[in-house]
Amino acid sequence: MRICRVALSYPTTNLPSAGLVAYYLCKHIKEPSIYITVNRNDGNLLPPTPNFAIQLIDVPLEQSSHSLNHSIHKSKQNIFQRLYIYFKIILTLRSIRFLLSSIPKIIFFKPDIICCHANVSLYHGLFFYLFYRTKFVVHIHAMSDAIAISNLSILRCLVNRASRIYCISDAVLNKLKYTISSNKLRLTSTGVDPNVFYNLNTKRKKQIIQVGQLMWYKGHNYILKAMPDILLKHPDYKLIIVGKGRLKKEISEYIKNNKLTSSV
């Protein structure tokens, strides 16, 4: 079987967690594969294994799916808010450039299946399903993507064309099960490397660690707002935030303005 994976990112030395699910699936499923992704120019790429090749696409994706999901996140919306969201979706069709630039590379590879690792890559799956009768599956890595699919009929229509929808958590699966055919949904949790996490009896430090991109959907605001109450009961604890992203400045200012610099 020849597998094509389409994702918006690929792990690099500067951002080793980006695209990690798709990367490890390529690495450990020993089938001929191609990894289509956007060229982020953000450090050296993690080396591929002999069974798969990387194809970097030079295309801007100014309006990311995550910024759309921020608008879609609200469950109660009037007709004008809903129309505005659809207008924003039309604007994101500029990401069709990502699809158009990918098509020749995918045709040349001749995959048996397309694996879509982001909502934007649904275009790839639908295109090759309609014109080449290639099966495609969808991997939902984030709750924000699940919310977008649940709230917008146009995304549900695209996803329902897939043969399988793989959900990274119970929460994601439960969010989708009322709008997506249940016989297509599968739970595939992120694994753990036992070579790294092997000694569960290691003495713990008095700290809370949050790892993830500094984006709204990661919920950094909740832990930051909770820290004063946590410190009242556990004044010797510290919060360590690991990541990078658009909210770095906003989070830093919140920490400073709320006098949390000694504990965060």
Side-chain angles (χ1 to χ4, degrees), residues 141-187:
H141 303 306
M143 177 57 79
S144 56
D145 283 342
I147 291 170
I149 293 166
S150 297
N151 287 356
L152 294 177
S153 56
I154 187 172
L155 290 181
R156 290 198 301 274
C157 181
L158 292 175
V159 171
N160 271 312
R161 294 278 187 171
S163 298
R164 290 285 184 272
I165 299 99
Y166 296 102
C167 306
I168 201 168
S169 67
D170 283 318
V172 169
L173 190 147
N174 290 331
K175 184 67 180 177
L176 294 174
K177 68 181 182 182
Y178 299 108
T179 55
I180 302 295
S181 177
S182 59
N183 66 329
K184 292 186 176 184
L185 295 173
R186 298 290 186 274
L187 175 63

Side-chain angles (χ1 to χ4, degrees), residues 88-125:
K88 290 177 75 175
I89 289 176
I90 292 172
L91 290 181
T92 65
L93 291 181
R94 71 186 75 177
S95 59
I96 289 293
R97 290 172 58 188
F98 180 36
L99 168 63
L100 295 177
S101 300
S102 307
I103 287 174
K105 301 178 187 300
I106 298 175
I107 291 175
F108 181 79
F109 181 72
K110 298 179 181 178
D112 298 301
I113 190 167
I114 307 282
C115 299
C116 305
H117 288 270
N119 281 354
V120 171
S121 64
L122 291 172
Y123 299 128
H124 295 73

Side-chain angles (χ1 to χ4, degrees), residues 72-87:
I72 297 164
H73 191 273
K74 297 179 181 178
S75 57
K76 294 183 179 180
Q77 298 164 336
N78 60 41
I79 183 63
F80 298 105
Q81 290 172 319
R82 184 71 56 163
L83 288 173
Y84 176 66
I85 291 172
Y86 277 98
F87 175 70

Side-chain angles (χ1 to χ4, degrees), residues 119-138:
N119 281 354
V120 171
S121 64
L122 291 172
Y123 299 128
H124 295 73
L126 184 65
F127 178 87
F128 281 92
Y129 172 78
L130 292 176
F131 294 102
Y132 289 86
R133 309 310 298 174
T134 304
K135 291 184 178 181
F136 76 99
V137 299
V138 180

